[in-house]
Amino acid sequence: MRTETEEIRDNLKYLSLLARDYPSQAAAASEIISTQALLKLPKGTEHFMSDLHGENEAFVHILNSASGVIREKVDIVLGDTVPEGTRAELATLIYYPSEKLPQLKERCADEEALEQWYSETLLRLIDICRLVSSKHTREHVRACLPSSCGYILDELLHAHFEDHDKDLYYGQIVGSIIENGRADKFIVRLCELIKRLAVDKLHIVGDLFDRGPRPDVILDLLMRHHDVDIQWGNHDVVWMGAAAGSPICICTVLKTTLSYHNHGMVEDCYGINLRHLQRMAEQFYGDDDLTIWMPHTDTARGPYTPGMLHRCAVMHKAITILMLKLECQVIDRNPDFKMQDRDFLRRINWEKGTVMVGGREYPMRDTSFPTVDPADPTALNSDEKVVLQKLVQSFRQSEKLQQHVEFLYAKGSVYHIENGNLLYHGAVPMDEDGQFTAVRFWDAEYSGKRWFDCCDRCARMGYFAPEGSWQRQVGQDFLWYLWCGAVSPIYGRSAMTTFERLYIADPATHAEIKNPYYRLINDPANVERILAEFGLTAPNSHIVNGHVPVRAIEGEKPVKGGGKLIVIDGGFCSAYHQKTGIAGYTLVYNSHGMTLRTHQPFESIEKAIHEDEDIESSSERIYTAPRRILIGDTDEGQRKRTEIDDLEALTEAYGNGLIREKME
């Protein structure tokens, strides 16, 4: 039992450390006053995105436009007195300042016209920037200012003057900026500052990788973002396993990449060497009928030559068969995965060319398996062993991939709770009766939140456990399980029917049965139970979910559970557009409430820049706060209150002489 003296002594140790930052009673009191004032400001805007799947151009545009928030600010400031075309141009300038600026300058017939445009544009940008900075303290805005021109921008944003002085004051500063050839730099800096201040926090609810052309571009941008968190999707965890050196995860990501003809990104952007795979593929499968192995292609990314398609298809087949062998080995090592019925290479009748799936025998669409020994179908031949060794080495040595995956671990998790909202990609595994599924792993039972926490720990073990340890092997196998396991909270379906889709014509075998969760979340009581399981009982709590595209074209709604759960996967990836009828959802949560944005397909950044074509979107308010939400109502506000308590204890310690003030 700790004594009161020990508690006081330990508290004094902490307060003495705090005193280094606040060396006097006045300094501590001043910080208390400014922090209390901060709590009265409106909460910052949170921006939610999900299932980006490598669609870098659409991501960049929605990130820059903050799902329409920027355009709303432009319209508020300029109003209907400014033509629609002019407002659209200014919005595009804010989205893409470095690219749009030269185009707008070219329109100016002479120096006088250019100076007039500079002056008008700078003044408009200053007014917009003043609006978006109004929810922030001056100290925070100053911290966001670029060092090269921060002092002048600070003056422009926070100057105090009477209305009749405004034009003169601004005119003198803006005139000086133009006269000294600094207008371009100030315009770019103002545009970047507007975007920085418009959104406080970005939430990515899973699946950055696969299908789309450039997930690496998305991750590069996220790494530069001022405040982002990521909830891992199943397409993310399998890449995390690949970066960790897991052979099964490496084969899985390459199989998906090749099926979408996106191996150029793997080779050029991540520096993964596929030469050995291609040679082995041509040696064993080059003369096969590759019809079913041809990749999905996108006309916008073509044209494709027959040679290109053949190269991709033959590697697709080779890596898939290698993957199927490794799947059997992982299933053998992990009986707790309960996937013993998915060791398909052992279920093939090699003489008849059939396979047993679900207790039925099916003819196979491809019966050429030159690298498989029917007596030992899971064994790798010598060529496959060399290929696998080289691939593991290449993935482990990819500096860029390692940076991206380390970022995913640093900023990511299986789930995230912030400001009363629960964010996760997939599903909380549930039984038909609505109970959280009890999962037994390693002689322990898990369900609900405890299962999520277990999955998070195991995912980290696969990357960070010591090389060669059993923990690392178990963790890497588990990263693959999170990709496709029946009770994986990141996957949420009965099985990943990759084998069936490739080898069996009967579509009945292709079904991936959704966990009962996806039906049960239509009932508000079930959503409330999930929130309560994670400690969230406030009326304003919501679940933000991704993973399963909402089929809006069929009338499906993204808001479920009586308005308490929002699915924001609306088919960001172009491959889903026909299924969903839209091109994705995003969510904006500001001090007034939550707004769901529904987006139509985005054509290109080039067209947006040259034609001021914004992404077509519609908005739906799904939650309106009973009063404006202040910082004091948020998680940050709670942290600030704790800081105030500590500072008040410090001022008391100064006041009674327990800690001495430093005199200047």
Side-chain angles (χ1 to χ4, degrees), residues 64-127:
N64 284 341
S65 66
S67 289
V69 170
I70 299 294
R71 179 57 195 268
E72 289 172 359
K73 303 300 183 186
V74 170
D75 290 342
I76 289 170
V77 170
L78 300 188
D80 294 336
T81 57
V82 175
E84 157 68 23
T86 303
R87 284 180 278 144
E89 280 184 355
L90 189 61
T92 304
L93 178 63
I94 295 171
Y95 305 160
Y96 308 103
S98 298
E99 296 83 0
K100 186 67 176 177
L101 184 56
Q103 177 192 337
L104 294 176
K105 287 168 60 180
E106 283 179 4
R107 295 187 191 171
C108 300
D110 50 38
E111 283 297 316
E112 183 179 350
L114 179 60
E115 288 186 11
Q116 176 63 31
W117 180 83
Y118 272 144
S119 179
E120 191 174 69
T121 300
L122 281 164
L123 290 171
R124 285 171 172 170
L125 289 173
I126 290 164
D127 283 342

Side-chain angles (χ1 to χ4, degrees), residues 21-37:
D21 295 324
Y22 307 99
S24 67
Q25 191 174 37
S30 177
E31 183 65 17
I32 291 170
I33 293 167
S34 63
T35 304
Q36 287 175 332

Side-chain angles (χ1 to χ4, degrees), residues 210-215 239 253-275 277-278 293-297 301 304-305 307-316 319 391 395:
D210 295 330
R211 300 194 178 99
R214 296 297 300 274
W239 275 87
V253 301
L254 287 178
K255 186 258 177 285
T256 304
T257 299
L258 288 161
S259 69
Y260 282 89
H261 201 278
N262 206 23
H263 51 288
M265 182 277 298
V266 171
E267 294 174 300
D268 299 337
C269 303
Y270 285 131
I272 304 299
N273 185 357
L274 300 182
R275 185 176 67 254
L277 173 62
Q278 184 184 2
W293 301 99
M294 285 294 164
H296 306 287
T297 54
R301 291 157 59 187
Y304 304 91
T305 67
M308 292 166 61
L309 295 174
H310 171 85
R311 175 175 178 257
C312 184
V314 74
M315 287 195 292
H316 183 198
I319 202 69
L391 287 173
F395 271 82

Side-chain angles (χ1 to χ4, degrees), residues 46-338:
E46 298 174 68
H47 191 194
F48 301 75
M49 304 170 74
S50 173
D51 295 87
L52 305 174
H53 284 299
E55 296 289 349
N56 57 295
E57 291 216 349
F59 167 75
V60 167
H61 189 80
I62 289 179
L63 182 68
N64 284 341
S65 66
S67 289
V69 170
I70 299 294
R71 179 57 195 268
E72 289 172 359
K73 303 300 183 186
V74 170
D75 290 342
I76 289 170
V77 170
L78 300 188
D80 294 336
T81 57
V82 175
E84 157 68 23
T86 303
R87 284 180 278 144
E89 280 184 355
L90 189 61
T92 304
L93 178 63
I94 295 171
Y95 305 160
Y96 308 103
S98 298
E99 296 83 0
K100 186 67 176 177
L101 184 56
Q103 177 192 337
L104 294 176
K105 287 168 60 180
E106 283 179 4
R107 295 187 191 171
C108 300
D110 50 38
E111 283 297 316
E112 183 179 350
L114 179 60
E115 288 186 11
Q116 176 63 31
W117 180 83
Y118 272 144
S119 179
E120 191 174 69
T121 300
L122 281 164
L123 290 171
R124 285 171 172 170
L125 289 173
I126 290 164
D127 283 342
I128 295 167
C129 201
R130 285 172 68 94
L131 175 64
V132 297
S133 67
S134 62
K135 294 203 296 185
H136 302 280
T137 64
R138 185 169 183 176
E139 181 182 6
H140 175 76
V141 175
R142 279 175 171 167
C144 299
L145 296 174
S147 57
S148 58
C149 50
Y151 174 77
I152 297 173
L153 288 177
D154 185 42
E155 282 295 306
L156 289 167
L157 294 176
H158 297 104
H160 296 283
F161 39 70
E162 300 299 328
D163 288 343
H164 62 274
D165 293 328
K166 179 178 179 179
D167 292 342
L168 176 63
Y169 180 81
Y170 274 178
Q172 288 177 339
I173 295 181
V174 169
S176 180
I177 290 171
I178 297 169
E179 185 179 334
N180 285 279
R182 305 281 288 174
D184 284 9
K185 178 167 283 190
F186 270 81
I187 286 172
V188 172
R189 295 294 180 268
L190 277 167
C191 291
E192 297 299 337
L193 184 60
I194 289 167
K195 289 185 287 189
R196 167 66 179 82
L197 295 174
V199 172
D200 270 27
K201 185 71 178 278
L202 178 64
H203 305 285
I204 304 294
V205 193
D207 277 357
L208 296 148
F209 286 97
D210 295 330
R211 300 194 178 99
R214 296 297 300 274
D216 60 303
V217 169
I218 295 174
L219 277 154
D220 282 342
L221 289 169
L222 291 177
M223 288 178 71
R224 296 198 292 270
H225 197 274
H226 55 273
D227 197 353
V228 61
D229 57 70
I230 299 165
Q231 294 71 63
W232 303 321
N234 62 321
H235 287 267
D236 304 320
V237 290
V238 74
W239 275 87
M240 289 153 59
S246 162
I248 182 60
C249 290
I250 288 171
C251 291
T252 302
V253 301
L254 287 178
K255 186 258 177 285
T256 304
T257 299
L258 288 161
S259 69
Y260 282 89
H261 201 278
N262 206 23
H263 51 288
M265 182 277 298
V266 171
E267 294 174 300
D268 299 337
C269 303
Y270 285 131
I272 304 299
N273 185 357
L274 300 182
R275 185 176 67 254
H276 299 283
L277 173 62
Q278 184 184 2
R279 286 176 180 172
M280 186 269 285
E282 289 289 356
Q283 175 186 348
F284 290 105
Y285 309 102
D287 295 329
D288 283 7
D289 179 358
L290 298 171
T291 302
I292 69 170
W293 301 99
M294 285 294 164
H296 306 287
T297 54
D298 183 346
T299 54
R301 291 157 59 187
Y304 304 91
T305 67
M308 292 166 61
L309 295 174
H310 171 85
R311 175 175 178 257
C312 184
V314 74
M315 287 195 292
H316 183 198
K317 179 170 183 178
I319 202 69
T320 300
I321 293 177
L322 187 53
M323 179 188 78
L324 293 171
K325 291 183 177 184
L326 294 176
E327 284 184 353
C328 292
Q329 296 177 18
V330 173
I331 290 167
D332 289 345
R333 284 197 300 268
N334 298 275
D336 284 347
F337 288 177
K338 294 182 173 55

